[in-house]
Amino acid sequence: MKFPLSTSEKGQKATELVRRLQQKFVDELSNASDPKTVFEVVDWLRDEGIHGGGERYVAAEGGIFDRASVNVSHVHYDDLPEKKLASASALSAIVHPDNPNAPSIHIHFSWTELRDGTGYWRMMADLNPSLPNPDHKKMFEDTLKQYAGEHFESGKEQGDAYFYVEALDVHRGVSHFYLEGFDSGDFKKDFQFAEKLASEVIQAYGQILKLSLDTSPNFNQEDKQKQIDYHTLYLYQVLTLDKGTTAGIMVHNQNDLGVFGSLPSTINSGLLKSWIEKTPPPLNDLVARLLKVFPEEGNVNVGNQEKIAFAKIVRAFYGNHSELLTFRN
């Protein structure tokens, strides 16, 4: 990273960890494809680097991925002692394979440190297939059970609640794990837990991805449409319900493309439109505004131009509905 890290020892260790995990994830994704997928590195700076920034590895177009973005960020406020937040280091990644037989994955592991030296971990991992495969789900959940140990049931309960889309009575994904505000009081122990869990989840997904591509390389247009429809649900959940994404957009505008790196390349705007009447107010208004980005109804592209437009819409919406902002600052 091309900026100084926080002076906090915990913040530096957490940043070193998420960078190691980032490289492991990129290696796993590359090894699942033949020829190996090329990843472009994109940097961004928070306040010109004064308060940190980050880098993301983005898969080149035309390979086995519809979208793949593996992001690391580290922000710190050593020069602003009045701020409650001292530093935050995070790995946040989303992978959408092009082949609908291969599931998408989202992971987020972060350490947030407050000015008084206390802090907490946030750990998320969820498997998101457009064509569910019970074997893939079992492989993923077996990994979570083994390496989350005593925290598995709590993580599963929190994950199932977080990724439940009440308006549509569905979950985004088939396997969810989420620990929010995790802190046992032993930083070293928690650090080792986060490292092992993240590393094993990344490795398990690499195996699932390779198995999917090796055993089911072919798909038809019906399968592809099911994927696009599922990706529409994914986008709906991210833009209307995901607190982490909303926080990233509302806190600053210096990494909008990175924050929306989780969005797939194609969605069904007609399907999204049909959900407006099912969405409770005032979020139904947000969905209606987001739809105005697309001039046509049907399968539409979600590129950088659309992501920037989404960011402006989301900021304006929550600027008028600050009562909905319940994420931690």
Side-chain angles (χ1 to χ4, degrees):
M1 293 184 179
K2 301 175 182 178
F3 49 81
L5 300 182
S6 165
T7 57
S8 159
E9 181 180 357
K10 292 178 182 178
Q12 291 180 10
K13 286 183 177 295
T15 303
E16 292 167 0
L17 169 60
V18 295
R19 293 186 73 181
R20 289 198 302 273
L21 293 172
Q22 179 188 46
Q23 189 59 59
K24 178 178 178 62
F25 206 174
V26 170
D27 290 345
E28 286 285 347
L29 297 177
S30 296
N31 291 336
S33 57
D34 186 19
K36 292 186 176 182
T37 297
V38 175
F39 282 82
E40 175 189 2
V41 180
V42 181
D43 297 317
W44 67 275
L45 297 175
R46 181 70 181 271
D47 302 331
E48 299 181 342
I50 297 173
H51 298 130
E55 61 186 16
R56 64 183 183 273
Y57 283 71
V58 182
E61 294 184 3
I64 68 168
F65 299 109
D66 173 75
R67 289 269 165 83
S69 180
V70 186
N71 313 284
V72 156
S73 61
H74 174 71
V75 297
H76 55 85
Y77 300 102
D78 290 345
D79 63 329
L80 299 174
E82 69 276 12
K83 269 192 169 288
K84 183 179 179 181
L85 174 66
S87 70
S89 304
L91 167 74
S92 186
I94 178 65
V95 178
H96 294 301
D98 182 65
N99 186 330
N101 294 303
S104 300
I105 188 176
H106 161 257
I107 67 170
H108 176 97
F109 283 77
S110 62
W111 164 254
T112 298
E113 187 168 356
L114 305 179
R115 185 65 58 189
D116 61 6
T118 62
Y120 56 88
W121 293 89
R122 190 174 190 239
M123 307 182 201
M124 307 180 77
D126 47 286
L127 192 68
N128 293 266
S130 52
L131 301 175
N133 183 313
D135 293 335
H136 297 165
K137 178 182 179 181
K138 185 177 187 305
M139 289 174 65
F140 194 77
E141 288 208 337
D142 282 351
T143 299
L144 289 172
K145 288 178 182 178
Q146 180 175 354
Y147 295 101
E150 63 181 306
H151 304 296
F152 173 74
E153 290 300 333
S154 175
K156 184 179 188 307
E157 182 179 354
Q158 291 183 62
D160 287 347
Y162 189 91
F163 292 105
Y164 178 60
V165 184
E166 184 175 6
L168 306 180
D169 192 24
V170 295
H171 282 90
R172 193 201 88 183
V174 297
S175 181
H176 320 98
F177 183 85
Y178 179 28
L179 290 180
E180 172 64 52
F182 182 80
D183 174 33
S184 72
D186 185 335
F187 177 80
K188 182 178 180 180
K189 179 182 177 181
D190 295 349
F191 180 97
Q192 292 172 343
F193 171 61
E195 180 171 29
K196 186 63 174 175
L197 179 60
S199 180
E200 294 296 338
V201 166
I202 289 169
Q203 184 170 314
Y205 179 72
Q207 294 170 349
I208 292 171
L209 177 61
K210 192 171 190 322
L211 179 64
S212 302
L213 299 176
D214 288 346
T215 59
S216 303
N218 302 316
F219 55 89
N220 56 36
Q221 189 55 46
E222 182 181 355
D223 292 336
K224 194 64 178 177
Q225 188 61 52
K226 288 180 180 178
Q227 183 190 56
I228 292 171
D229 291 348
Y230 177 74
H231 283 174
T232 307
L233 171 67
Y234 195 100
L235 179 140
Y236 175 90
Q237 190 274 337
V238 168
L239 294 181
T240 65
L241 299 174
D242 194 277
K243 296 177 182 178
T245 301
T246 304
I249 288 297
M250 295 304 293
V251 171
H252 63 84
N253 64 355
Q254 297 166 357
N255 187 35
D256 288 352
L257 294 180
V259 173
F260 282 150
S262 64
L263 299 182
S265 70
T266 308
I267 67 156
N268 182 343
S269 67
L271 181 60
L272 184 60
K273 182 179 180 181
S274 73
W275 294 338
I276 293 178
E277 63 181 21
K278 297 181 180 182
T279 305
L283 286 175
N284 57 346
D285 179 52
L286 174 58
V287 179
R289 295 187 197 185
L290 294 169
L291 270 165
K292 291 181 179 179
V293 170
F294 304 110
E296 300 175 355
E297 189 169 305
N299 294 339
V300 292
N301 180 65
V302 180
N304 287 347
Q305 180 178 333
E306 287 74 21
K307 292 178 185 178
I308 292 171
F310 287 161
K312 292 179 180 178
I313 292 168
V314 168
R315 283 197 189 95
F317 175 80
Y318 284 105
N320 292 324
H321 295 284
S322 58
E323 73 279 3
L324 300 178
L325 299 176
T326 57
F327 52 82
R328 294 190 185 198
N329 290 312

